[in-house]
């Protein structure tokens, strides 16, 4: 089994203060940033794997304060590639924040994979992290949990990168002589990686910096989860 194609998909834009994306960068405070929501589709010889699933309609309490917009939906993006929700075999969540697992339920035939630490924390987060999780987006789904770095299939490996959340993971994809990392929110912007600047939404700053350095050490091509400077990434191996 080998990785054949990668396609960076879009599920809209989430409005954030830039200070939430780069920790303690005061000149970013008060600047609005429409963070792109960019799930990644991986096509192998036998499976279609989705990394993160974007955002879905929010509960009223959050809908009043969280702003997002969509020019197209995740299902539209799949349709443009000749695929439907039923074609997705695996959904890997980097973590369970609302903008990364919102559409999980759309994929009736998929297996769901997340770090055990993330699932446990999402079910009972600390008060200061509670606003990022919407339990209806992930509860009652039959998750397969992994612990630490783990091979999912040939050429696809989850990399444990805690800090943004306790159980965050990134993806390492290898094929055709190329090494590609999907950072998730371990590095929502390429700037986080390039300057070793941790994200502003943070559970453990020390672990977050260690995770950034872990990703940097891989010497790969990087896909940052929210960066507007990187809106397309399509590869055929």
């Amino acid at each position: 089994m080998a990785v054949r194609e990668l396609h960076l998909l879009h599920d809209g834009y989430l409005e954030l203060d830039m200070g939430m994306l780069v920790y303690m960068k005061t000149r970013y405070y008060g600047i609005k940033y429409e963070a792109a929501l960019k799930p990644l589709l991986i096509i192998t010889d036998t499976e279609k794997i989705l990394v993160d699933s974007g955002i879905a309609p929010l509960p009223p309490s959050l809908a009043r304060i969280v702003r997002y917009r969509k020019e197209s939906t995740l299902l539209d993006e799949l349709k443009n590639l000749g695929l439907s929700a039923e074609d997705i075999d695996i959904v890997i969540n980097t973590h369970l924040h609302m903008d990364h697992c919102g559409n999980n339920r759309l994929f009736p035939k998929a297996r769901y994979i997340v770090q055990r630490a993330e699932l446990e924390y999402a079910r009972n987060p600390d008060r200061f992290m509670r606003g990022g999780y919407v339990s209806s987006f992930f509860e009652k789904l039959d998750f397969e949990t992994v612990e630490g770095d783990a091979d999912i299939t040939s050429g696809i490996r989850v990399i444990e990168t805690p800090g943004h959340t306790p159980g965050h993971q990134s993806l390492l994809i290898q094929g055709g002589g190329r090494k590609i990392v999907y950072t998730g929110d371990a590095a929502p912007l390429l700037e986080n990686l390039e300057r070793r600047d941790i994200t502003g939404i943070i559970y453990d700053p020390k672990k977050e910096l260690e995770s950034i350095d872990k990703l940097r050490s891989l010497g790969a091509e990087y896909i940052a989860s929210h960066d507007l400077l990187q809106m397309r990434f399509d590869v055929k191996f």
Side-chain angles (χ1 to χ4, degrees), residues 24 32 38 45 79 91 140 147 170 177 191 200 208 216 219 222 225 227:
M24 292 296 287
K32 297 302 179 186
K38 303 186 297 187
D45 291 333
K79 185 177 180 180
V91 175
K140 298 183 181 178
E147 297 185 54
S170 304
E191 174 180 338
E208 163 71 354
R216 283 165 55 96
Y222 297 93
S225 62
D227 202 316

Side-chain angles (χ1 to χ4, degrees), residues 57-93:
L58 299 170
S61 59
L62 279 175
R64 290 195 296 269
I65 57 175
V66 176
R67 293 183 175 85
Y68 69 92
R69 66 179 179 89
K70 298 193 182 193
E71 296 171 347
S72 63
T73 68
L74 188 54
L75 294 184
D76 291 333
E77 294 277 295
L78 290 172
K79 185 177 180 180
N80 289 339
L81 294 169
L83 301 174
S84 69
E86 288 75 15
D87 292 315
I88 300 300
D89 300 293
I90 300 174
V91 175
I92 302 172
N93 290 121

Side-chain angles (χ1 to χ4, degrees), residues 133-194:
Y133 293 102
V134 176
S135 60
S136 61
F137 288 174
F138 56 83
E139 285 296 6
K140 298 183 181 178
L141 288 176
D142 187 17
F143 280 98
E144 299 175 24
T145 58
V146 294
E147 297 185 54
D149 297 358
D151 292 321
I152 303 303
T153 188
S154 178
I156 302 173
R157 183 172 178 81
V158 295
I159 305 293
E160 185 180 26
T161 49
H164 175 64
T165 66
H168 190 282
Q169 62 185 0
S170 304
L171 268 289
L172 172 63
I173 304 119
Q174 297 185 83
R178 297 175 71 172
K179 190 182 339 182
I180 297 164
V181 167
Y182 184 84
T183 64
D185 278 1
L189 305 178
L190 292 172
E191 174 180 338
N192 300 111
L193 276 176
E194 293 164 355

Side-chain angles (χ1 to χ4, degrees), residues 14-38:
L14 177 66
E15 185 179 292
L16 296 172
D17 188 292
M18 280 201 74
M20 300 172 76
L21 296 169
V22 185
Y23 183 73
M24 292 296 287
K25 195 157 190 174
T26 54
R27 68 182 177 88
Y28 282 174
Y29 292 175
I31 297 175
K32 297 302 179 186
Y33 187 83
E34 283 202 313
L37 307 182
K38 303 186 297 187

Side-chain angles (χ1 to χ4, degrees), residues 46-140:
T46 59
E47 293 176 310
K48 296 171 181 67
I49 300 169
L50 186 66
V51 186
D52 286 342
S53 66
I55 196 167
L58 299 170
S61 59
L62 279 175
R64 290 195 296 269
I65 57 175
V66 176
R67 293 183 175 85
Y68 69 92
R69 66 179 179 89
K70 298 193 182 193
E71 296 171 347
S72 63
T73 68
L74 188 54
L75 294 184
D76 291 333
E77 294 277 295
L78 290 172
K79 185 177 180 180
N80 289 339
L81 294 169
L83 301 174
S84 69
E86 288 75 15
D87 292 315
I88 300 300
D89 300 293
I90 300 174
V91 175
I92 302 172
N93 290 121
T94 59
H95 60 303
L96 295 175
H97 277 172
M98 67 179 81
D99 54 322
H100 293 263
C101 71
N103 293 306
N104 275 20
R105 295 182 184 280
L106 294 179
F107 307 103
K109 298 180 180 179
R111 299 160 48 205
Y112 298 92
I113 298 174
V114 73
Q115 289 282 327
R116 179 181 297 276
E118 180 67 11
L119 183 59
E120 291 176 352
Y121 186 76
R123 287 172 171 164
N124 187 29
D126 293 298
R127 186 174 183 273
F128 68 92
M129 292 289 281
R130 198 173 299 157
Y133 293 102
V134 176
S135 60
S136 61
F137 288 174
F138 56 83
E139 285 296 6
K140 298 183 181 178

